[in-house]
Amino acid sequence: MSKRPWPFILGGLLVALLLAGVVSNYASSHPDGLDSSLLKGCTVNAEDEITGGSCPAQQAKDHELADSPLADYGVRGVGNGFLSTGISGVIGVLLTFALGGGLFWLARRRGPANGAPTGPANGVPTGRANGVPTDPAGGAPTGSAARDAGARPAGTR
């Protein structure tokens, strides 16, 4: 991955905002099979109100957060349904991005100030010497780099 991931991150954020703000309005108004299965045994009218019968949906109650500003995939106080859904999607994406970015920022690894990790006991830098991976104990090339450099493993002739 390149040293500068910002174009990729901002591109992903832009796509997510576009999907949440615009495309989400074209999603199905009945995406969930759970709602329809809870209505089995009841008769409903055109507004999906139960008019008769017996089904599990009759025992449904409002959620504790049903009066929150972003309840029901919309923003309370915005009269236009298309705009309300779009704004709630954009707010959700921005909150998720901020929370995820903050968690990644907190969890990222930080090395020494010079950027080179040090060996466990002797303080010798590990990593690369002249572009070749090195052993932390002695600075000798390791793995395929040792083979490429003509070095032999210890104890061989």
Short mmCIF file of all heavy atoms in Angstrom, two decimals, residues 27-92:
data_model
loop_
_atom_site.label_atom_id
_atom_site.label_comp_id
_atom_site.label_asym_id
_atom_site.label_seq_id
_atom_site.Cartn_x
_atom_site.Cartn_y
_atom_site.Cartn_z
N ALA A 27 -34.30 2.26 -2.46
CA ALA A 27 -34.37 0.91 -1.88
C ALA A 27 -35.82 0.50 -1.70
O ALA A 27 -36.73 1.33 -1.66
CB ALA A 27 -33.64 0.89 -0.54
N SER A 28 -36.04 -0.79 -1.58
CA SER A 28 -37.39 -1.30 -1.40
C SER A 28 -38.00 -0.78 -0.11
O SER A 28 -37.34 -0.67 0.92
CB SER A 28 -37.35 -2.83 -1.36
OG SER A 28 -38.60 -3.35 -1.01
N SER A 29 -39.27 -0.46 -0.16
CA SER A 29 -39.96 -0.03 1.05
C SER A 29 -40.33 -1.22 1.93
O SER A 29 -40.72 -1.05 3.08
CB SER A 29 -41.21 0.77 0.70
OG SER A 29 -42.09 -0.03 -0.06
N HIS A 30 -40.20 -2.44 1.42
CA HIS A 30 -40.47 -3.67 2.18
C HIS A 30 -39.29 -4.63 2.03
O HIS A 30 -39.43 -5.71 1.46
CB HIS A 30 -41.75 -4.35 1.68
CG HIS A 30 -42.96 -3.49 1.81
ND1 HIS A 30 -43.54 -3.18 3.01
CD2 HIS A 30 -43.70 -2.85 0.86
CE1 HIS A 30 -44.58 -2.40 2.82
NE2 HIS A 30 -44.69 -2.17 1.53
N PRO A 31 -38.10 -4.26 2.53
CA PRO A 31 -36.93 -5.10 2.31
C PRO A 31 -36.85 -6.31 3.23
O PRO A 31 -36.11 -7.23 2.96
CB PRO A 31 -35.77 -4.16 2.61
CG PRO A 31 -36.33 -3.24 3.65
CD PRO A 31 -37.77 -3.06 3.27
N ASP A 32 -37.61 -6.32 4.29
CA ASP A 32 -37.42 -7.30 5.34
C ASP A 32 -38.49 -8.38 5.32
O ASP A 32 -39.67 -8.08 5.43
CB ASP A 32 -37.44 -6.56 6.69
CG ASP A 32 -36.91 -7.40 7.82
OD1 ASP A 32 -36.28 -8.42 7.54
OD2 ASP A 32 -37.13 -7.02 8.97
N GLY A 33 -38.07 -9.62 5.19
CA GLY A 33 -39.00 -10.73 5.24
C GLY A 33 -39.56 -10.95 6.63
O GLY A 33 -40.62 -11.56 6.80
N LEU A 34 -38.87 -10.45 7.66
CA LEU A 34 -39.33 -10.63 9.03
C LEU A 34 -40.67 -9.92 9.25
O LEU A 34 -41.59 -10.47 9.86
CB LEU A 34 -38.29 -10.09 10.01
CG LEU A 34 -38.64 -10.17 11.49
CD1 LEU A 34 -38.84 -11.62 11.90
CD2 LEU A 34 -37.56 -9.53 12.32
N ASP A 35 -40.79 -8.70 8.72
CA ASP A 35 -42.05 -7.97 8.87
C ASP A 35 -43.22 -8.73 8.25
O ASP A 35 -44.29 -8.85 8.85
CB ASP A 35 -41.96 -6.58 8.23
CG ASP A 35 -41.09 -5.64 9.04
OD1 ASP A 35 -40.91 -5.88 10.24
OD2 ASP A 35 -40.61 -4.66 8.45
N SER A 36 -43.01 -9.28 7.05
CA SER A 36 -44.11 -10.00 6.40
C SER A 36 -44.43 -11.30 7.11
O SER A 36 -45.58 -11.71 7.19
CB SER A 36 -43.78 -10.26 4.93
OG SER A 36 -42.67 -11.10 4.81
N SER A 37 -43.41 -11.96 7.69
CA SER A 37 -43.69 -13.22 8.40
C SER A 37 -44.43 -12.95 9.71
O SER A 37 -45.21 -13.78 10.15
CB SER A 37 -42.39 -13.98 8.67
OG SER A 37 -41.59 -13.29 9.60
N LEU A 38 -44.21 -11.79 10.32
CA LEU A 38 -44.93 -11.45 11.55
C LEU A 38 -46.39 -11.11 11.29
O LEU A 38 -47.21 -11.12 12.19
CB LEU A 38 -44.26 -10.29 12.26
CG LEU A 38 -42.90 -10.58 12.88
CD1 LEU A 38 -42.28 -9.32 13.46
CD2 LEU A 38 -42.99 -11.66 13.95
N LEU A 39 -46.73 -10.80 10.03
CA LEU A 39 -48.11 -10.46 9.67
C LEU A 39 -48.93 -11.66 9.23
O LEU A 39 -50.11 -11.52 8.92
CB LEU A 39 -48.11 -9.39 8.57
CG LEU A 39 -47.63 -8.01 9.01
CD1 LEU A 39 -47.50 -7.10 7.79
CD2 LEU A 39 -48.58 -7.41 10.04
N LYS A 40 -48.31 -12.85 9.17
CA LYS A 40 -49.06 -14.04 8.74
C LYS A 40 -50.17 -14.33 9.73
O LYS A 40 -49.95 -14.40 10.93
CB LYS A 40 -48.14 -15.24 8.60
CG LYS A 40 -47.23 -15.09 7.41
CD LYS A 40 -46.58 -16.39 7.06
CE LYS A 40 -45.58 -16.07 5.98
NZ LYS A 40 -45.70 -16.70 4.81
N GLY A 41 -51.37 -14.48 9.22
CA GLY A 41 -52.54 -14.74 10.05
C GLY A 41 -53.38 -13.49 10.26
O GLY A 41 -54.49 -13.57 10.77
N CYS A 42 -52.87 -12.33 9.86
CA CYS A 42 -53.62 -11.08 9.99
C CYS A 42 -54.00 -10.56 8.60
O CYS A 42 -53.35 -10.87 7.61
CB CYS A 42 -52.77 -10.01 10.68
SG CYS A 42 -52.60 -10.24 12.45
N THR A 43 -55.03 -9.78 8.57
CA THR A 43 -55.37 -9.07 7.34
C THR A 43 -54.95 -7.61 7.52
O THR A 43 -55.09 -7.03 8.60
CB THR A 43 -56.88 -9.14 7.05
OG1 THR A 43 -57.60 -8.68 8.20
CG2 THR A 43 -57.30 -10.55 6.72
N VAL A 44 -54.38 -7.04 6.46
CA VAL A 44 -53.90 -5.66 6.51
C VAL A 44 -54.52 -4.86 5.38
O VAL A 44 -54.89 -5.42 4.34
CB VAL A 44 -52.35 -5.59 6.42
CG1 VAL A 44 -51.70 -6.21 7.64
CG2 VAL A 44 -51.84 -6.27 5.18
N ASN A 45 -54.62 -3.56 5.57
CA ASN A 45 -55.15 -2.69 4.52
C ASN A 45 -54.00 -2.14 3.68
O ASN A 45 -52.84 -2.53 3.86
CB ASN A 45 -56.02 -1.58 5.12
CG ASN A 45 -55.25 -0.68 6.06
OD1 ASN A 45 -54.02 -0.69 6.10
ND2 ASN A 45 -55.97 0.11 6.85
N ALA A 46 -54.29 -1.19 2.80
CA ALA A 46 -53.28 -0.64 1.90
C ALA A 46 -52.19 0.13 2.64
O ALA A 46 -51.07 0.27 2.15
CB ALA A 46 -53.95 0.28 0.88
N GLU A 47 -52.47 0.62 3.82
CA GLU A 47 -51.48 1.36 4.61
C GLU A 47 -50.72 0.44 5.57
O GLU A 47 -50.05 0.92 6.49
CB GLU A 47 -52.16 2.48 5.43
CG GLU A 47 -52.64 3.64 4.59
CD GLU A 47 -54.04 3.37 4.02
OE1 GLU A 47 -54.86 2.72 4.69
OE2 GLU A 47 -54.28 3.79 2.88
N ASP A 48 -50.83 -0.87 5.38
CA ASP A 48 -50.18 -1.88 6.22
C ASP A 48 -50.63 -1.84 7.66
O ASP A 48 -49.88 -2.18 8.58
CB ASP A 48 -48.64 -1.77 6.15
CG ASP A 48 -48.08 -2.25 4.82
OD1 ASP A 48 -48.70 -3.13 4.20
OD2 ASP A 48 -47.01 -1.74 4.43
N GLU A 49 -51.86 -1.42 7.90
CA GLU A 49 -52.44 -1.45 9.24
C GLU A 49 -53.21 -2.75 9.39
O GLU A 49 -53.92 -3.18 8.49
CB GLU A 49 -53.37 -0.26 9.44
CG GLU A 49 -52.66 1.08 9.39
CD GLU A 49 -53.64 2.25 9.35
OE1 GLU A 49 -54.86 2.02 9.15
OE2 GLU A 49 -53.17 3.38 9.51
N ILE A 50 -53.10 -3.38 10.56
CA ILE A 50 -53.79 -4.64 10.82
C ILE A 50 -55.26 -4.35 11.04
O ILE A 50 -55.65 -3.53 11.87
CB ILE A 50 -53.18 -5.34 12.05
CG1 ILE A 50 -51.71 -5.65 11.80
CG2 ILE A 50 -53.95 -6.60 12.39
CD1 ILE A 50 -50.96 -6.17 13.00
N THR A 51 -56.10 -5.06 10.24
CA THR A 51 -57.54 -4.84 10.35
C THR A 51 -58.27 -6.04 10.95
O THR A 51 -59.43 -5.93 11.33
CB THR A 51 -58.14 -4.54 8.97
OG1 THR A 51 -57.85 -5.61 8.08
CG2 THR A 51 -57.58 -3.24 8.42
N GLY A 52 -57.59 -7.18 11.05
CA GLY A 52 -58.26 -8.36 11.62
C GLY A 52 -57.31 -9.53 11.69
O GLY A 52 -56.15 -9.46 11.28
N GLY A 53 -57.81 -10.63 12.24
CA GLY A 53 -57.01 -11.83 12.37
C GLY A 53 -56.18 -11.85 13.63
O GLY A 53 -56.36 -11.04 14.53
N SER A 54 -55.24 -12.80 13.66
CA SER A 54 -54.36 -12.94 14.81
C SER A 54 -52.95 -13.25 14.31
O SER A 54 -52.74 -14.21 13.57
CB SER A 54 -54.86 -14.08 15.70
OG SER A 54 -53.96 -14.28 16.76
N CYS A 55 -52.00 -12.42 14.72
CA CYS A 55 -50.61 -12.61 14.29
C CYS A 55 -49.66 -12.02 15.34
O CYS A 55 -50.07 -11.22 16.18
CB CYS A 55 -50.37 -11.96 12.94
SG CYS A 55 -50.63 -10.18 12.91
N PRO A 56 -48.38 -12.41 15.28
CA PRO A 56 -47.41 -11.88 16.26
C PRO A 56 -47.22 -10.36 16.19
O PRO A 56 -46.85 -9.74 17.19
CB PRO A 56 -46.10 -12.59 15.89
CG PRO A 56 -46.50 -13.81 15.15
CD PRO A 56 -47.79 -13.46 14.47
N ALA A 57 -47.46 -9.76 15.05
CA ALA A 57 -47.25 -8.31 14.91
C ALA A 57 -48.20 -7.50 15.79
O ALA A 57 -47.93 -6.33 16.06
CB ALA A 57 -47.42 -7.91 13.46
N GLN A 58 -49.28 -8.09 16.25
CA GLN A 58 -50.22 -7.36 17.10
C GLN A 58 -49.64 -7.06 18.49
O GLN A 58 -50.10 -6.15 19.15
CB GLN A 58 -51.53 -8.15 17.25
CG GLN A 58 -52.32 -8.19 15.96
CD GLN A 58 -53.50 -9.14 16.05
OE1 GLN A 58 -53.42 -10.22 16.65
NE2 GLN A 58 -54.61 -8.74 15.44
N GLN A 59 -48.62 -7.81 18.90
CA GLN A 59 -47.99 -7.57 20.19
C GLN A 59 -46.80 -6.61 20.08
O GLN A 59 -46.13 -6.33 21.07
CB GLN A 59 -47.50 -8.87 20.82
CG GLN A 59 -48.60 -9.68 21.49
CD GLN A 59 -49.46 -10.43 20.48
OE1 GLN A 59 -48.97 -10.92 19.48
NE2 GLN A 59 -50.75 -10.50 20.74
N ALA A 60 -46.53 -6.09 18.90
CA ALA A 60 -45.37 -5.20 18.71
C ALA A 60 -45.58 -3.89 19.45
O ALA A 60 -46.68 -3.36 19.53
CB ALA A 60 -45.17 -4.94 17.23
N LYS A 61 -44.48 -3.38 20.02
CA LYS A 61 -44.50 -2.09 20.72
C LYS A 61 -43.48 -1.18 20.07
O LYS A 61 -42.56 -1.63 19.40
CB LYS A 61 -44.12 -2.28 22.19
CG LYS A 61 -45.00 -3.20 22.96
CD LYS A 61 -44.46 -3.34 24.37
CE LYS A 61 -44.82 -4.72 24.89
NZ LYS A 61 -44.03 -5.12 26.02
N ASP A 62 -43.62 0.11 20.30
CA ASP A 62 -42.63 1.05 19.81
C ASP A 62 -41.32 0.86 20.55
O ASP A 62 -41.29 0.54 21.74
CB ASP A 62 -43.09 2.50 19.99
CG ASP A 62 -43.99 2.98 18.86
OD1 ASP A 62 -43.98 2.34 17.78
OD2 ASP A 62 -44.68 3.98 19.05
N HIS A 63 -40.24 1.07 19.84
CA HIS A 63 -38.91 0.99 20.44
C HIS A 63 -38.70 2.19 21.36
O HIS A 63 -39.33 3.24 21.19
CB HIS A 63 -37.85 0.99 19.32
CG HIS A 63 -36.48 0.67 19.81
ND1 HIS A 63 -35.63 1.62 20.30
CD2 HIS A 63 -35.83 -0.50 19.89
CE1 HIS A 63 -34.50 1.06 20.66
NE2 HIS A 63 -34.59 -0.24 20.41
N GLU A 64 -37.82 2.05 22.34
CA GLU A 64 -37.56 3.13 23.29
C GLU A 64 -37.01 4.38 22.61
O GLU A 64 -37.19 5.49 23.09
CB GLU A 64 -36.56 2.65 24.35
CG GLU A 64 -37.11 1.54 25.20
CD GLU A 64 -36.01 0.82 25.97
OE1 GLU A 64 -34.82 1.11 25.75
OE2 GLU A 64 -36.36 -0.03 26.79
N LEU A 65 -36.34 4.21 21.47
CA LEU A 65 -35.76 5.34 20.76
C LEU A 65 -36.61 5.76 19.56
O LEU A 65 -36.11 6.42 18.65
CB LEU A 65 -34.34 5.00 20.30
CG LEU A 65 -33.35 4.67 21.41
CD1 LEU A 65 -32.01 4.25 20.84
CD2 LEU A 65 -33.18 5.85 22.35
N ALA A 66 -37.88 5.40 19.55
CA ALA A 66 -38.74 5.73 18.42
C ALA A 66 -38.93 7.23 18.25
O ALA A 66 -39.26 7.68 17.16
CB ALA A 66 -40.11 5.05 18.60
N ASP A 67 -38.69 8.01 19.28
CA ASP A 67 -38.83 9.46 19.19
C ASP A 67 -37.49 10.16 18.95
O ASP A 67 -37.43 11.39 19.02
CB ASP A 67 -39.45 10.01 20.48
CG ASP A 67 -40.89 9.56 20.65
OD1 ASP A 67 -41.56 9.32 19.63
OD2 ASP A 67 -41.34 9.45 21.81
N SER A 68 -36.45 9.41 18.67
CA SER A 68 -35.13 10.02 18.46
C SER A 68 -35.10 10.77 17.12
O SER A 68 -35.92 10.51 16.24
CB SER A 68 -34.04 8.96 18.51
OG SER A 68 -34.12 8.11 17.39
N PRO A 69 -34.17 11.69 16.95
CA PRO A 69 -34.13 12.51 15.73
C PRO A 69 -33.91 11.72 14.44
O PRO A 69 -34.31 12.16 13.38
CB PRO A 69 -32.95 13.45 15.97
CG PRO A 69 -32.71 13.44 17.43
CD PRO A 69 -33.18 12.13 17.93
N LEU A 70 -33.30 10.54 14.50
CA LEU A 70 -33.02 9.77 13.29
C LEU A 70 -33.83 8.47 13.22
O LEU A 70 -33.45 7.54 12.52
CB LEU A 70 -31.53 9.44 13.21
CG LEU A 70 -30.60 10.64 13.07
CD1 LEU A 70 -29.15 10.19 13.11
CD2 LEU A 70 -30.88 11.39 11.79
N ALA A 71 -34.95 8.39 13.90
CA ALA A 71 -35.76 7.18 13.89
C ALA A 71 -36.43 6.98 12.54
O ALA A 71 -36.74 7.94 11.83
CB ALA A 71 -36.81 7.25 14.99
N ASP A 72 -36.67 5.74 12.18
CA ASP A 72 -37.39 5.36 10.96
C ASP A 72 -36.72 5.83 9.67
O ASP A 72 -37.38 6.24 8.73
CB ASP A 72 -38.83 5.87 11.01
CG ASP A 72 -39.81 4.76 11.26
OD1 ASP A 72 -39.40 3.58 11.20
OD2 ASP A 72 -40.98 5.06 11.51
N TYR A 73 -35.39 5.77 9.61
CA TYR A 73 -34.63 6.09 8.40
C TYR A 73 -34.92 7.50 7.89
O TYR A 73 -34.98 7.74 6.69
CB TYR A 73 -34.90 5.08 7.28
CG TYR A 73 -34.58 3.67 7.69
CD1 TYR A 73 -35.58 2.76 7.99
CD2 TYR A 73 -33.26 3.24 7.79
CE1 TYR A 73 -35.29 1.46 8.36
CE2 TYR A 73 -32.96 1.95 8.16
CZ TYR A 73 -33.97 1.07 8.44
OH TYR A 73 -33.67 -0.21 8.83
N GLY A 74 -35.10 8.42 8.77
CA GLY A 74 -35.36 9.80 8.38
C GLY A 74 -34.93 10.75 9.47
O GLY A 74 -34.49 10.34 10.55
N VAL A 75 -35.04 12.04 9.17
CA VAL A 75 -34.70 13.08 10.14
C VAL A 75 -35.99 13.76 10.56
O VAL A 75 -36.76 14.23 9.72
CB VAL A 75 -33.73 14.11 9.52
CG1 VAL A 75 -33.43 15.22 10.51
CG2 VAL A 75 -32.45 13.44 9.08
N ARG A 76 -36.25 13.76 11.87
CA ARG A 76 -37.46 14.40 12.38
C ARG A 76 -37.43 15.89 12.06
O ARG A 76 -36.41 16.55 12.19
CB ARG A 76 -37.58 14.20 13.87
CG ARG A 76 -38.93 14.67 14.38
CD ARG A 76 -39.18 14.49 15.85
NE ARG A 76 -38.23 13.65 16.55
CZ ARG A 76 -37.85 13.88 17.78
NH1 ARG A 76 -38.31 14.89 18.45
NH2 ARG A 76 -37.00 13.07 18.38
N GLY A 77 -38.54 16.40 11.59
CA GLY A 77 -38.64 17.82 11.28
C GLY A 77 -38.44 18.15 9.82
O GLY A 77 -38.72 19.27 9.40
N VAL A 78 -37.95 17.20 9.02
CA VAL A 78 -37.79 17.44 7.58
C VAL A 78 -39.01 16.85 6.88
O VAL A 78 -39.25 15.65 6.95
CB VAL A 78 -36.48 16.80 7.05
CG1 VAL A 78 -36.35 17.00 5.56
CG2 VAL A 78 -35.28 17.37 7.78
N GLY A 79 -39.79 17.72 6.22
CA GLY A 79 -41.05 17.30 5.62
C GLY A 79 -40.89 16.47 4.36
O GLY A 79 -41.69 15.58 4.07
N ASN A 80 -39.87 16.71 3.56
CA ASN A 80 -39.65 15.99 2.32
C ASN A 80 -39.03 14.62 2.64
O ASN A 80 -37.93 14.54 3.19
CB ASN A 80 -38.71 16.81 1.43
CG ASN A 80 -38.48 16.18 0.07
OD1 ASN A 80 -38.61 14.98 -0.11
ND2 ASN A 80 -38.12 17.03 -0.87
N GLY A 81 -39.73 13.55 2.30
CA GLY A 81 -39.27 12.20 2.62
C GLY A 81 -37.96 11.84 1.94
O GLY A 81 -37.09 11.19 2.53
N PHE A 82 -37.79 12.24 0.67
CA PHE A 82 -36.57 11.96 -0.08
C PHE A 82 -35.37 12.63 0.60
O PHE A 82 -34.34 12.01 0.84
CB PHE A 82 -36.72 12.47 -1.52
CG PHE A 82 -35.64 12.03 -2.45
CD1 PHE A 82 -35.74 10.85 -3.15
CD2 PHE A 82 -34.51 12.81 -2.64
CE1 PHE A 82 -34.74 10.44 -4.03
CE2 PHE A 82 -33.51 12.42 -3.51
CZ PHE A 82 -33.62 11.23 -4.20
N LEU A 83 -35.53 13.89 0.94
CA LEU A 83 -34.47 14.65 1.60
C LEU A 83 -34.19 14.12 3.01
O LEU A 83 -33.04 14.00 3.43
CB LEU A 83 -34.85 16.13 1.65
CG LEU A 83 -33.80 17.09 2.18
CD1 LEU A 83 -32.56 17.06 1.30
CD2 LEU A 83 -34.38 18.50 2.23
N SER A 84 -35.24 13.77 3.73
CA SER A 84 -35.10 13.26 5.09
C SER A 84 -34.30 11.96 5.11
O SER A 84 -33.40 11.80 5.94
CB SER A 84 -36.48 13.05 5.69
OG SER A 84 -36.39 12.49 6.98
N THR A 85 -34.61 11.04 4.20
CA THR A 85 -33.88 9.78 4.12
C THR A 85 -32.44 10.01 3.73
O THR A 85 -31.52 9.41 4.30
CB THR A 85 -34.56 8.83 3.12
OG1 THR A 85 -35.90 8.60 3.54
CG2 THR A 85 -33.83 7.51 3.02
N GLY A 86 -32.21 10.89 2.77
CA GLY A 86 -30.85 11.18 2.33
C GLY A 86 -30.00 11.79 3.43
O GLY A 86 -28.85 11.41 3.63
N ILE A 87 -30.56 12.74 4.15
CA ILE A 87 -29.82 13.39 5.23
C ILE A 87 -29.50 12.40 6.34
O ILE A 87 -28.38 12.38 6.87
CB ILE A 87 -30.61 14.59 5.79
CG1 ILE A 87 -30.66 15.72 4.75
CG2 ILE A 87 -29.97 15.11 7.08
CD1 ILE A 87 -31.58 16.86 5.14
N SER A 88 -30.45 11.54 6.67
CA SER A 88 -30.17 10.56 7.73
C SER A 88 -29.09 9.58 7.29
O SER A 88 -28.25 9.18 8.10
CB SER A 88 -31.43 9.82 8.15
OG SER A 88 -31.82 8.88 7.19
N GLY A 89 -29.07 9.22 6.02
CA GLY A 89 -28.02 8.33 5.51
C GLY A 89 -26.65 9.00 5.57
O GLY A 89 -25.66 8.38 5.98
N VAL A 90 -26.58 10.26 5.17
CA VAL A 90 -25.31 11.00 5.21
C VAL A 90 -24.83 11.15 6.65
O VAL A 90 -23.65 10.96 6.94
CB VAL A 90 -25.47 12.37 4.51
CG1 VAL A 90 -24.29 13.27 4.80
CG2 VAL A 90 -25.65 12.18 3.01
N ILE A 91 -25.73 11.48 7.57
CA ILE A 91 -25.35 11.59 8.98
C ILE A 91 -24.83 10.26 9.51
O ILE A 91 -23.81 10.21 10.21
CB ILE A 91 -26.54 12.09 9.84
CG1 ILE A 91 -26.86 13.55 9.51
CG2 ILE A 91 -26.26 11.94 11.33
CD1 ILE A 91 -28.14 14.06 10.13
N GLY A 92 -25.49 9.17 9.15
CA GLY A 92 -25.04 7.84 9.58
C GLY A 92 -23.66 7.50 9.05
O GLY A 92 -22.82 6.96 9.78
#
